[in-house]
Amino acid sequence: MNLAPLTQRFVLHFGEMGSRWGINRTVGQIYALLYVSPRALNADDIGEALAFSRSNVSMGLKELQSWNLVRLQHLPNDRREYFQAPEDVWAIFRTLAEERRKREIDPTLSMLRDALMEQPSAPDDIHAQARMKQMHDLIELMTGWLADVQKMDSATLVSLMKMGAKVQKLLEVKDKVSSKVKAGLTGRAAAPRLAAPPAAIPDENNRS
């Protein structure tokens, strides 16, 4: 199985970039190949295309399976296992974000929660805990946003991304409206109350 020039360039680049993202170069190249392949591939196909040993291909596929980034398939009358990357790129994004959250963010949040439960007495620890609180709040805000993104379908997610700067303008309008409402309520609360009108004095001439 020989790779076409464009495919080969993409696979090689993805392997190099993967190593910068903390992904093994071999794993990166295997995933890039599966991503652009028009059909599912087995281990022999992958090893031949990338000139990798069978053991390296096997370890790379196991790593990708642990990240839920490839689907295992079986073909009729073929005992070999075939692999394919999801066709929906947003599904890949959601899976990758979820797996990185579980592996990298959740352990950090757990440590920060434990640290915030303590009652430090040393001034340096008190300062450090305050800084940890800021980090904890930021990470929780980001993970909450990611959780909301995970629930969106691909079409909605694409629409959200395309809004771009429009989201900022919308938030600016919301802030202006909120400020005017608050100012109006404050003004009403601060306005002096008018004195009650004096009670009517009975007219002597109208007394019966």
Side-chain angles (χ1 to χ4, degrees), residues 99-116:
E99 291 297 324
R100 294 194 77 97
R101 181 189 66 79
K102 291 190 294 186
R103 295 164 185 251
E104 301 170 14
I105 297 177
D106 285 357
T108 301
L109 268 179
S110 179
M111 178 272 162
L112 290 172
R113 291 187 185 113
D114 290 343
L116 295 178

Side-chain angles (χ1 to χ4, degrees), residues 14-27:
F14 205 90
E16 293 301 323
M17 290 305 299
S19 63
R20 299 178 188 180
W21 300 333
I23 301 173
N24 182 280
R25 183 177 65 86
T26 300
V27 175

Side-chain angles (χ1 to χ4, degrees), residues 90 93-94 145-146 149 152-167:
W90 291 105
F93 167 77
R94 286 192 292 266
W145 180 82
L146 283 174
V149 169
M152 298 179 185
D153 58 63
S154 298
T156 303
L157 192 53
V158 170
S159 298
L160 178 63
M161 292 293 188
K162 286 183 176 180
M163 289 183 69
K166 295 178 182 179
V167 175

Side-chain angles (χ1 to χ4, degrees), residues 72-142:
L72 174 63
Q73 297 180 1
H74 289 93
L75 301 182
N77 303 319
D78 193 333
R79 298 180 61 183
R80 293 174 297 181
E81 294 180 335
Y82 286 78
F83 299 88
Q84 190 170 34
E87 295 181 2
D88 185 355
V89 68
W90 291 105
I92 297 172
F93 167 77
R94 286 192 292 266
T95 299
L96 189 58
E98 175 64 15
E99 291 297 324
R100 294 194 77 97
R101 181 189 66 79
K102 291 190 294 186
R103 295 164 185 251
E104 301 170 14
I105 297 177
D106 285 357
T108 301
L109 268 179
S110 179
M111 178 272 162
L112 290 172
R113 291 187 185 113
D114 290 343
L116 295 178
M117 293 293 291
E118 297 185 14
Q119 300 292 329
S121 56
D124 285 352
D125 276 349
I126 293 174
H127 173 76
Q129 190 183 57
R131 297 285 288 168
M132 292 179 197
K133 176 69 165 56
Q134 294 176 357
M135 181 180 291
H136 170 271
D137 292 348
L138 174 62
I139 294 176
E140 276 218 325
L141 183 63
M142 291 176 61

